[in-house]
Amino acid sequence: MTGQLAGTGKMIILPVDQGFEHGPARSFAPNPAGYDPHYHYQLAIDAGLNAYAAPLGALEAGADTFAGQIPTILKVNSANSLMSGTAGKNQAITATVDDALRLGCAAIGFTVYPGSDMALDMFEEISAMRQEAAAKGVATVIWSYPRGEAVSKDGETAIDIAAYAAHIAALLGAHIIKIKLSTDHLELGEAKKVYEDKKIAIASQAERVKHCMDASFAGRRLVVFSGGAAKGADAVYDDAIAIRDGGGNGSIIGRNSFQRSRNDALEMLQKLVDIYKGK
């Protein structure tokens, strides 16, 4: 109910946790203004987005300056690129629900990795934190990213895995679910039989979005789709059209916005708003 899309049932969120995940140069050197957390606050506000999501330090750096100007989501767990390849796919808890309250956040954000040998630990962590957040009036956003020992690289974006990941997040109590856009690949043999037998429509991106919405309590939970690595503007728009046409609730778009110049990012975000408004 904020920003340009207030009241439409659609949303665009700016997430900036990539510095933790990928390192500062990989994240911000393409647009050095992004080294400053205030830049992202202001970009999200000026673009009329629904929320800005970031880890503890980034929100603390601007929470006083931008208080009340845009809803914020405190990303309470993070991974990094300095771990060895043999480390289990997991994230460290780096903030608390009380931090979210102190900073005036509307929600906490938490990543789970379905398919990881560490997934059960992650499910238990967010279950406990979600219970505390609910008791204190803070919403929960779950990033549900298939990754780890049980899924192949293609499986990370397979439609059967993506829908499963969305459903897991819904069952864990997420108010907003963040997943990746999927491909028509089917990873799990037993699931593939059902998809083929029941002729589940997954040929187009819009059909796959609809299927993921079905898996999210038949659309009773909000689902936003991540933009992934930086790509051309037309590809970003095509993704948004498919999300809209499939009944998805919107985009959570980081590198594809903040790695562009401010003017280019504002132009692109305005076009995304227009797409979700049906223009």
Side-chain angles (χ1 to χ4, degrees), residues 5 9 11 20 28 40 63 116 119 153 170 188 217 238 251 257 267:
L5 290 170
M11 61 176 63
F20 217 135
F28 306 123
H40 304 290
S116 167
K153 193 65 180 174
L188 303 173
F217 295 168
D238 288 345
S251 300
S257 56
E267 180 182 353

Side-chain angles (χ1 to χ4, degrees), residues 179-195:
I179 57 173
K180 296 180 180 179
L181 285 168
S182 54
T183 68
D184 61 2
H185 175 62
L186 293 167
E187 176 89 347
L188 303 173
E190 291 302 312
K192 185 175 182 179
K193 295 176 186 177
V194 175
Y195 279 80

Side-chain angles (χ1 to χ4, degrees), residues 181 205-214 225 242-243 246-248:
L181 285 168
Q205 188 65 262
E207 288 173 332
R208 295 192 291 274
V209 167
K210 180 186 182 300
H211 181 58
C212 288
M213 296 305 299
D214 288 343
F225 295 81
I243 294 165

Side-chain angles (χ1 to χ4, degrees), residues 117-135:
D117 287 351
M118 311 296 290
L120 298 185
D121 292 338
M122 303 181 87
F123 296 164
E124 290 175 356
E125 289 166 352
I126 186 51
S127 179
M129 192 171 284
R130 191 260 183 214
Q131 182 179 12
E132 181 186 356

Side-chain angles (χ1 to χ4, degrees), residues 142-227:
I142 294 182
W143 279 238
S144 196
Y145 281 2
R147 187 172 299 172
E149 295 80 1
V151 287
S152 68
K153 193 65 180 174
D154 287 340
E156 291 181 4
T157 52
I159 180 57
D160 58 325
I161 301 288
Y164 200 165
H167 192 65
I168 286 171
L171 292 170
L172 286 169
H175 300 100
I176 301 174
I177 298 163
K178 176 189 177 186
I179 57 173
K180 296 180 180 179
L181 285 168
S182 54
T183 68
D184 61 2
H185 175 62
L186 293 167
E187 176 89 347
L188 303 173
E190 291 302 312
K192 185 175 182 179
K193 295 176 186 177
V194 175
Y195 279 80
E196 293 174 347
D197 180 57
K198 301 303 178 184
K199 296 180 172 56
I200 299 172
I202 56 170
S204 72
Q205 188 65 262
E207 288 173 332
R208 295 192 291 274
V209 167
K210 180 186 182 300
H211 181 58
C212 288
M213 296 305 299
D214 288 343
S216 303
F217 295 168
R220 290 183 180 273
R221 293 296 176 266
L222 298 166
V223 184
V224 292
F225 295 81
S226 62

Side-chain angles (χ1 to χ4, degrees), residues 39 89 101 104 112 119 161 176 210 244 256 264:
Y39 176 83
K89 297 298 183 184
L101 288 171
V112 295
I161 301 288
I176 301 174
K210 180 186 182 300
R244 180 197 67 195
N256 279 295
D264 287 350

Side-chain angles (χ1 to χ4, degrees), residues 83-105:
M83 304 287 286
S84 73
T86 58
K89 297 298 183 184
N90 200 356
Q91 296 210 354
I93 295 176
T94 57
T96 66
V97 174
D98 282 342
D99 286 323
L101 288 171
R102 177 172 56 86
L103 295 170
C105 298

